Amino acid sequence: MTQMHSSGFGMVGLGLRREMLDELLEHVPKQIDFLEVAPENWLKLGGRFKKQFKTLTDANNFVCHGLSLSIGSPEPLDIEFIKSLKAFFDQHNIKMFSEHLSYCSGQGHMYDLMPIPFTKEAIAHVVPRIKQVQDILERPVAMENVSYYGAPGQELTELEFTTEILEQADCKLLLDVNNIYVNSINHGYDANTFLAGLPTKRIAYGHVAGHYNEANDLIVDTHGADVIDPVWELLDKAYKVHGVFPTLLERDFNIPEINVLTKELDIIIQLQQKYLNPELSKQRA
């Protein structure tokens, strides 16, 4: 029996997009233990959408995955925004908040996730900002290892940079398996080595998603396609190395019907059961 990360929100999740609302309000498939939303997309909604969202959050476990905290930005944190997040989390009983280890604003908002330079100076800048966010929210934050397409002024490896921030800020990790695969192709490193180097105790939950192959050595993290076999294999390896952790499927566009997405959720369940109930998995094989 392998280690299991207890979460309080279940083991298999799906990223909720507005296109899915009607289907999920009618029926949430048994495979789904929790749903994830970007709080920025729901914070200011009123009327019908707000009522529908509250109906879902009252009946299901929810986590939030932020888009605009901009933890690596040179600009001051938006304290009022963080306070509005706390009120939103309290209102909807949000079980966990995660964000990207990146930045998306400077003098203005860029609407894209930019890589934080892998430097000691950047670590010294980011760590107190994460601590401040956790203090205001009065809950731990999980930082996601992000996909990136350039590493300006690099002093440290991505792994050194990420693990140092997790330890110094005493925060959680959102382990994005697809991002590890994407970065390993784009930057020519070994995905298994990177995965094994991450701190098990920091893992809050994980993401899997699809991507787009621009060229043999360039993959773009799009969340617009099915998860490919090498990413499933890496998730399998993640469970083997770190124990089974809650894992969520992201799909941002080209969104099929829920009963198509549940086929990918079934794969997550099968991989988890392989380590949680190895004898049962053998019987099914």
Side-chain angles (χ1 to χ4, degrees):
M1 192 72 73
T2 194
Q3 173 190 358
M4 182 175 75
H5 297 243
S6 59
S7 65
F9 49 84
M11 295 304 292
V12 180
L14 179 66
L16 171 65
R17 305 297 176 257
R18 215 171 293 177
E19 298 93 320
M20 304 173 185
L21 256 183
D22 290 340
E23 278 190 274
L24 289 175
L25 281 164
E26 193 172 306
H27 172 65
V28 176
K30 66 180 187 304
Q31 292 95 332
I32 300 172
D33 297 318
F34 67 101
L35 294 160
E36 179 191 78
V37 293
E40 293 88 343
N41 293 338
W42 301 87
L43 262 171
K44 296 180 180 178
L45 284 182
R48 179 169 63 93
F49 280 129
K50 183 176 181 179
K51 288 178 182 175
Q52 289 178 325
F53 184 64
K54 189 70 169 73
T55 298
L56 277 176
T57 60
D58 282 347
N60 300 276
N61 292 321
F62 267 77
V63 300
C64 277
H65 185 46
L67 299 170
S68 57
L69 186 62
S70 202
I71 203 68
S73 171
E75 294 296 300
L77 288 167
D78 186 339
I79 302 301
E80 290 309 309
F81 168 65
I82 299 168
K83 288 180 178 177
S84 72
L85 285 179
K86 184 178 188 301
F88 179 81
F89 298 161
D90 291 344
Q91 179 186 3
H92 294 286
N93 193 26
I94 301 300
K95 306 291 186 182
M96 170 64 63
F97 174 55
S98 62
E99 249 286 1
H100 303 82
L101 191 52
S102 61
Y103 70 101
C104 57
S105 62
Q107 296 298 315
H109 202 94
M110 291 178 283
Y111 301 101
D112 211 345
L113 298 171
M114 306 297 290
I116 303 170
F118 298 152
T119 66
K120 292 180 180 178
E121 182 183 8
I123 292 173
H125 174 67
V126 167
V127 164
R129 289 164 68 88
I130 295 174
K131 288 181 175 179
Q132 186 179 4
V133 172
Q134 293 187 135
D135 286 346
I136 296 170
L137 293 178
E138 297 182 307
R139 46 172 55 84
V141 173
M143 301 307 300
E144 179 188 16
N145 57 292
V146 297
S147 55
Y148 63 100
Y149 305 94
Q154 183 169 356
E155 296 174 357
L156 306 166
T157 66
E158 180 193 354
L159 182 60
E160 290 168 337
F161 178 77
T162 303
T163 54
E164 194 62 32
I165 285 177
L166 295 174
E167 290 303 317
Q168 286 193 31
D170 192 21
C171 64
K172 298 291 188 179
L173 169 67
L174 166 50
L175 197 168
D176 193 304
V177 176
N178 184 61
N179 286 349
I180 295 175
Y181 177 77
V182 166
N183 291 343
S184 72
I185 299 297
N186 291 345
H187 303 289
Y189 67 66
D190 183 74
N192 290 324
T193 301
F194 182 95
L195 178 68
L198 292 170
T200 300
K201 66 179 181 179
R202 297 287 172 187
I203 299 170
Y205 69 111
H207 276 175
V208 286
H211 53 251
Y212 175 69
N213 286 7
E214 187 80 31
N216 288 338
D217 58 352
L218 178 59
I219 297 177
V220 181
D221 182 36
T222 60
H223 304 168
D226 293 348
V227 179
I228 65 169
D229 286 344
V231 174
W232 288 126
E233 289 163 12
L234 199 58
L235 179 62
D236 185 293
K237 180 64 69 72
Y239 293 154
K240 184 176 182 180
V241 171
H242 296 293
V244 176
F245 49 84
T247 305
L248 177 131
L249 174 68
E250 289 186 293
R251 188 67 174 254
D252 289 345
F253 67 98
N254 296 329
I255 298 174
E257 292 182 350
I258 296 293
N259 63 4
V260 176
L261 292 176
T262 54
K263 292 177 182 176
E264 291 193 289
L265 298 181
D266 284 335
I267 298 174
I268 297 173
I269 292 168
Q270 288 164 14
L271 290 175
Q272 291 179 343
Q273 289 301 318
K274 175 180 171 182
Y275 294 99
L276 293 174
N277 295 297
E279 292 305 316
L280 185 61
S281 295
K282 286 177 188 175
Q283 292 170 18
R284 288 178 176 172

